[in-house]
Amino acid sequence: MGDSDEPRTLGARLSAKDRTTFVGRAAEFAAIAALLVDDPPASIMLVHGPGGIGKSALLREVARRGEASGWSAVLVEGRDLPPLPDAVDEAIAPARTAERPLVLIDSYERMTALGTHLRRVVLPTLPARAVVVIAGRRPPDHGWFEGGWESVTRELELGPLSSQDSLDLLKAHGLPRTARIRELATWASGSPLALTFVARAADDPGWRPGEGGEPRDVVRTLVRRLAEAELDPQHRDVLWLACIARVTTARLIRDVLPGIDAEEATGWLHERSFSEPLGDGLTLHDLVRRALRSDLRQRDPERERDLRRRIADSLYARALAGHPLLTIDLAELIETPELRALYGWEGAMRNQIDSVREGDAEEVARHLAAIGSTAWWDVTRPFFEEAPEFVAIARGDTGALCGYSITMTPASAPAVAHADPLLGPWLQHAQDLAPDGNAILCRDAVDFTRDPASRIQAMLNVSAVLRSGLPNPRYLYLPVDPHRPDVMAFISALGAQHLEELDLVGPPGRVECHLLDCGPGGVLGLERDLIYLELGLAPPGVSRSESPDPEAVRAALRNLRLPHLLARSPLATGDGVEERAASVRRRLEEAATNAFGDTENERLLQQVLHRGYIDPEGSHEQTARELNLSRATYFRRLKLASDRVAQYLSVRPE
């Protein structure tokens, strides 16, 4: 750009910068451009969307493009106007003398009380060729679609930027395409405002998006820009609850904040422009929710922890009482990154879980062939042809297939599952382990996007629980690719047990079988307990037992190298996962050393215990062979050794 092209004023410089950092919105511009013709189908476009979604930037770009095409843009900022009819008349006056006026009204939520005046007095006096674009946070009221206005009015909801547009916006701010920039784009969830602010924070290598450690100035600015005008100190606790819980209901408010009028509080929350209906309650716009929660953690971390615990207790009780869908809400409160990566419903913002449609089988076959798994499709095809009701399809926001899963229970398994090389042995094992059928077998959970930010696999894993029909599953058989670090981290964090004898060696390689025993409390209890452990608290109902139950001892021995499960044991003492797990290991190892006598039979019992639990090498079947014991004898002696440890601990309190 030469010197003559340099902006001559600060306003011109600001406009030039604004123009270069505007990206995307092709569909939205097409809808508005359809009005800027000689015989338009409508004259008024009502644009709405949550704070930070880019309404103001869109209107500024519409003004620039409109003026370049010969329209006279008249911008009215609702935040600058007093709520008086004369002020609106004066602001729009220049449009009355223009040949092709383009009236752009921003922040309409600040002047909705003047909506009737606009329709009755102001807009009817504009020239016939006038086009009016009004942007606000809330959907338009019914007055815009009655009394004849419906014939000249159109509605346009502004959603998040696409992943590609988000990356383009960060690039426009001078950030190079790197893995970290993709992280920042994912954290911003398509909000242009958030993208702009994280671009400023990108130089801070200590900040990892999604960990709740957002830079304080970014958080405070986001809160101020997104929600401050609608905040009310009287409803502070309700807003804090809503920024933690996935869905806020009157029931949840009563449980967590018993001193508050739940109906009145719900009504107040409903009136916020950054809230929207979800399920049987309300949710905050994702960006507002995350900004408020980060602000709460920085201001009062103990209050945030207490609210999270109270919310978990309420959700757990309601889920047990017959609302299993609340497993989604409980999972939302878990913050361990390895678990959130592969179990959660965040992906539902852009994706959906669907049943099999015509053409899906061929699409899955093409995807599997593209990753070299044609042989796996050969053994998978029968499920699509003979038992499609056990297949879940993940679709993106355009409807394109982007993943699939195949899950079932022992009771529901079709004939094709019993003949399957992977599921057949699993079903036999599950019949012995869970004769009541309280188990889920997950044959596949495949994300074809290969993009962790999509959260496709996390949704598929949640859908396996929801689609099972079991109110609170205890056992989950999980297929594991040992070459995927994220999957191995997920399995380790959950404390699943590798059952080598159930591994499948063949196309598409080795598929390991890992068994997750959620304990007597099932999936719901595991979720609630994980939340407590993250908070450094002993899970409810898990108390120190001086005379431990033999089954509790056996469970602790099985989970000796799984901290999250050890921390839930009645044998545990202390606070937090590591301290509680270490206390159990210490007690078990001391008992394993001292609980046995010096006879040959006692030494064999001790050896079985050490080889089976304390210092295992290989599978139980391999250990039995090396000790020259039959499988039945080995497991009988392993149970006797576990009972001996329980007896020792009952007379040797820590």
Side-chain angles (χ1 to χ4, degrees):
M1 180 181 289
D3 292 341
S4 61
D5 295 325
E6 288 288 340
R8 296 181 179 276
T9 65
L10 179 58
R13 181 178 294 278
L14 289 172
S15 180
K17 178 65 175 176
D18 191 42
R19 183 171 56 252
T20 60
T21 56
F22 187 90
V23 301
R25 301 303 189 195
E28 290 83 353
F29 272 116
I32 296 174
L35 276 57
L36 302 178
V37 295
D38 289 338
D39 187 20
S43 300
I44 299 172
M45 181 67 76
L46 303 175
V47 180
H48 61 92
I53 207 65
K55 299 182 296 296
S56 298
L58 176 68
L59 261 58
R60 293 194 298 269
E61 184 67 12
V62 168
R64 285 190 290 266
R65 297 190 187 187
E67 289 178 335
S69 300
W71 291 79
S72 300
V74 178
L75 278 77
V76 179
E77 174 53 70
R79 288 177 295 185
D80 296 337
L81 292 182
L84 301 172
D86 290 347
V88 180
D89 296 346
E90 183 179 347
I92 294 180
R96 295 193 177 93
T97 58
E99 182 179 350
R100 302 170 71 192
L102 175 59
V103 179
L104 306 165
I105 302 177
D106 198 8
S107 303
Y108 180 65
E109 69 275 2
R110 301 294 185 93
M111 49 185 292
T112 52
L114 298 174
T116 301
H117 179 71
L118 273 175
R119 291 190 293 270
R120 289 182 178 177
V121 179
V122 179
L123 299 185
T125 64
L126 293 178
R129 296 195 62 186
V131 172
V132 181
V133 182
I134 301 176
R137 294 188 175 188
R138 302 197 66 83
D141 64 77
H142 60 82
W144 290 102
F145 301 100
E146 60 186 20
W149 286 101
E150 68 276 8
S151 64
V152 296
T153 301
R154 297 292 183 269
E155 179 182 355
L156 177 63
E157 181 176 5
L158 205 58
L161 291 175
S162 68
S163 298
Q164 185 58 53
D165 287 343
S166 296
L167 292 172
D168 289 343
L169 181 54
L170 289 175
K171 183 180 179 181
H173 281 280
L175 277 65
R177 296 289 180 91
T178 64
R180 175 163 169 77
I181 299 311
R182 291 186 177 277
E183 279 189 287
L184 295 172
T186 299
W187 178 87
S189 298
S191 164
L193 176 62
L195 288 163
T196 300
F197 282 113
V198 298
R200 300 177 187 175
D203 292 334
D204 180 3
W207 176 47
R208 307 305 301 177
E211 294 181 356
E214 293 81 359
R216 185 178 294 268
D217 59 335
V218 170
V219 171
R220 295 289 165 82
T221 304
L222 285 175
V223 171
R224 185 173 66 251
R225 289 284 300 276
L226 296 171
E228 190 172 80
E230 299 181 72
L231 301 186
D232 178 355
Q234 179 182 347
H235 295 92
R236 179 191 61 184
D237 284 346
V238 173
L239 196 64
W240 283 354
L241 182 155
C243 76
I244 298 172
R246 174 177 171 268
V247 180
T248 299
T249 62
R251 167 67 183 273
L252 185 63
I253 293 174
R254 282 193 294 270
D255 288 349
V256 178
L257 304 170
I260 288 181
D261 184 332
E263 280 67 30
E264 187 276 335
T266 305
W268 175 84
L269 193 63
H270 176 73
E271 293 301 319
R272 302 308 96 191
S273 66
F274 49 81
S275 75
E276 56 188 357
L278 181 62
D280 60 350
L282 298 165
T283 189
L284 303 188
H285 178 260
D286 186 61
L287 181 60
V288 176
R289 183 176 164 222
R290 284 186 282 140
L292 287 171
R293 186 166 182 179
S294 291
D295 189 43
L296 169 59
R297 282 186 166 171
Q298 292 174 8
R299 293 177 185 271
D300 193 347
E302 287 303 313
R303 182 57 171 157
E304 191 275 338
R305 292 176 69 254
D306 181 60
L307 286 171
R308 185 150 58 112
R309 177 188 62 79
R310 291 171 178 266
I311 292 169
D313 288 344
S314 174
L315 294 174
Y316 175 69
R318 290 166 57 201
L320 284 182
H323 301 279
L325 283 174
L326 290 176
T327 186
I328 295 175
D329 299 68
L330 273 171
E332 180 77 9
L333 299 177
I334 296 173
E335 298 191 338
T336 302
E338 294 81 3
L339 296 177
R340 289 187 70 91
L342 294 179
Y343 192 84
W345 208 244
E346 291 173 292
M349 294 178 62
R350 296 180 181 271
N351 311 290
Q352 61 172 315
I353 301 298
D354 193 13
S355 56
V356 176
R357 301 179 189 172
E358 184 177 354
D360 284 347
E362 293 77 9
E363 187 70 14
V364 170
R366 285 193 292 271
H367 279 294
L368 289 175
I371 59 177
S373 296
T374 300
W376 186 246
W377 170 245
D378 291 339
V379 293
T380 300
R381 182 198 306 269
F383 289 94
F384 281 80
E385 295 177 346
E386 302 174 33
E389 65 271 24
F390 296 97
V391 181
I393 300 294
R395 305 188 193 278
D397 51 8
T398 63
L401 186 151
C402 53
Y404 80 98
S405 67
I406 298 176
T407 61
M408 62 200 62
T409 67
S412 67
V416 67
H418 290 275
D420 185 65
L422 184 68
L423 285 181
W426 290 15
L427 283 165
Q428 293 180 15
H429 189 279
Q431 288 168 0
D432 293 333
L433 177 68
D436 61 353
N438 195 20
I440 299 175
L441 295 86
C442 306
R443 182 188 188 273
D444 291 284
V446 183
D447 172 11
F448 291 129
T449 72
R450 298 302 173 106
D451 178 10
S454 71
R455 294 291 198 270
I456 293 293
Q457 195 163 356
M459 289 183 67
L460 289 170
N461 288 337
V462 172
S463 74
V465 174
L466 299 178
R467 289 164 57 93
S468 71
L470 299 174
N472 191 18
R474 172 168 182 171
Y475 299 103
L476 287 89
Y477 290 77
L478 307 172
V480 170
D481 177 356
H483 301 295
R484 281 190 53 183
D486 59 334
V487 174
M488 297 306 295
F490 175 72
I491 290 297
S492 177
L494 277 176
Q497 178 186 5
H498 183 193
L499 302 181
E500 292 184 55
E501 65 274 21
L502 296 182
D503 291 353
L504 176 66
V505 180
R510 186 181 189 89
V511 180
E512 294 184 354
C513 175
H514 287 246
L515 175 66
L516 173 61
D517 179 359
C518 299
V523 167
L524 298 173
L526 175 60
E527 289 180 330
R528 190 272 314 269
D529 290 357
L530 288 171
I531 295 164
Y532 264 71
L533 291 168
E534 287 179 351
L535 295 172
L537 303 171
V542 178
S543 58
R544 168 77 175 279
S545 173
E546 299 296 351
S547 299
D549 177 71
E551 179 54 38
V553 172
R554 280 192 287 274
L557 287 166
R558 287 194 299 268
N559 301 325
L560 197 59
R561 282 159 181 77
L562 305 173
H564 281 87
L565 294 187
L566 275 191
R568 301 170 69 202
S569 171
L571 303 173
T573 58
D575 298 319
V577 173
E578 291 304 327
E579 183 179 342
R580 290 177 60 80
S583 73
V584 179
R585 292 192 198 99
R586 184 172 59 251
R587 296 188 71 190
L588 292 176
E589 289 170 359
E590 192 267 337
T593 301
N594 300 308
F596 301 93
D598 197 31
T599 67
E600 182 178 350
N601 185 62
E602 289 288 297
R603 286 194 295 271
L604 180 58
L605 280 178
Q606 188 177 44
Q607 190 177 14
V608 167
L609 182 74
H610 272 272
R611 291 291 303 276
Y613 290 136
I614 304 299
D615 190 19
E617 295 180 9
S619 66
H620 286 299
E621 285 72 15
Q622 179 183 341
T623 300
R625 288 194 299 269
E626 292 177 357
L627 293 176
N628 295 315
L629 298 173
S630 69
R631 187 177 187 275
T633 301
Y634 168 78
F635 280 106
R636 185 170 64 252
R637 288 183 177 272
L638 192 60
K639 181 180 182 300
L640 288 172
S642 302
D643 291 343
R644 182 67 60 81
V645 170
Q647 292 171 356
Y648 178 87
L649 293 176
S650 69
V651 297
R652 293 289 186 93
E654 188 176 24

